[in-house]
Amino acid sequence: MTETAAEPAGGRRSDRTRAAILTAARERFAADGYERATIRAIAADAAIDPAMVMRYFGNKEKLFAAAAEFDLRLPDLSALPREELGAALTSHFLDRWEGDESLKALLRASVTNEVAADRMRELFAAQLGPTIAKLSTSTASAADADRASSVDVATRAGLVATQALGFALCRYVLALPPVANLSREEAVAWLGPTITRYLTGTP
């Protein structure tokens, strides 16, 4: 039965309704992208009245921001040799982009929508920053620790993001032929050394 806006939104019913909306939104945004997905379609997927979606989230932008809770699932790379860090992180990013359609939907939406862009920035800042901070303290040798520490974590994270996001945009969204046609091994070989430098090097 379709839930209507006149029904109470408290307690367990409210939690179930919110969860149903978010699940439907993630699937719809992944399938259609931000621009094509509609509140009406999301409501239909969740078997509720469209007015209920507006009641809980206000508008499509706010719903997208709420639904776009993604985990990059960054691995602990601190035990790896420094020269292998970039290849390992590149391989992990390829797994995430290729295994999560909703993450690609967020990337597509972030090109044209500021709310989506904010979520993507928050995602990388909140999750990539701590990983790089840990690597900075665990992989730097005594000889270069002082020089490496002069480059702040935010700068390193931003530079790594240029590779992770730029490559994903060209490969999965724009489908730029030379990039889209690279094999996985070739992509890791090209990006790995650059990301290693961003993680451990100095200007």
Side-chain angles (χ1 to χ4, degrees):
M1 182 177 70
T2 299
E3 186 174 351
T4 68
E7 295 178 10
R12 293 181 180 178
R13 180 185 292 271
S14 174
D15 292 340
R16 288 197 302 269
T17 301
R18 179 179 290 272
I21 294 170
L22 289 173
T23 297
R26 290 188 183 104
E27 293 174 354
R28 181 60 62 175
F29 285 132
D32 295 349
Y34 177 83
E35 300 299 336
R36 292 177 58 197
T38 66
I39 292 294
R40 185 174 297 278
I42 291 167
D45 293 342
I48 62 172
D49 191 289
M52 289 295 293
V53 179
M54 304 301 288
R55 177 177 177 180
Y56 277 89
F57 295 99
N59 57 41
K60 190 171 78 168
E61 287 188 351
K62 291 178 180 178
L63 173 58
F64 187 88
E69 296 295 339
F70 300 102
D71 187 352
L72 294 176
R73 302 175 194 168
L74 293 167
D76 183 356
L77 303 175
S78 58
L80 289 179
R82 297 180 71 194
E83 62 273 13
E84 296 179 15
L85 293 175
L89 196 55
T90 299
S91 182
H92 177 76
F93 278 130
L94 288 172
D95 287 340
R96 294 299 293 122
W97 289 120
E98 293 171 3
D100 191 339
E101 286 297 323
S102 58
L103 191 59
K104 284 188 277 192
L106 178 62
L107 178 64
R108 286 193 296 269
S110 67
V111 175
T112 58
N113 181 265
E114 188 60 28
V115 172
D118 283 342
R119 283 298 298 120
M120 185 65 82
R121 283 190 287 265
E122 291 169 5
L123 177 65
F124 271 77
Q127 297 185 32
L128 189 57
T131 296
I132 292 178
K134 184 176 181 180
L135 288 174
S136 296
T137 58
S138 64
T139 64
S141 64
D144 61 12
D146 288 341
R147 285 196 308 153
S149 64
S150 67
V151 182
D152 64 65
V153 168
T155 298
R156 294 186 187 279
L159 290 170
V160 170
T162 66
Q163 301 301 302
L165 294 175
F167 181 82
L169 180 67
C170 291
R171 186 177 180 91
Y172 303 115
V173 178
L174 301 178
L176 190 65
V179 177
N181 293 337
L182 287 174
S183 69
R184 183 187 182 90
E185 293 73 19
E186 289 172 328
V188 171
W190 278 107
L191 296 180
T194 299
I195 291 182
T196 293
R197 177 173 176 269
Y198 288 159
L199 290 171
T200 64
T202 55

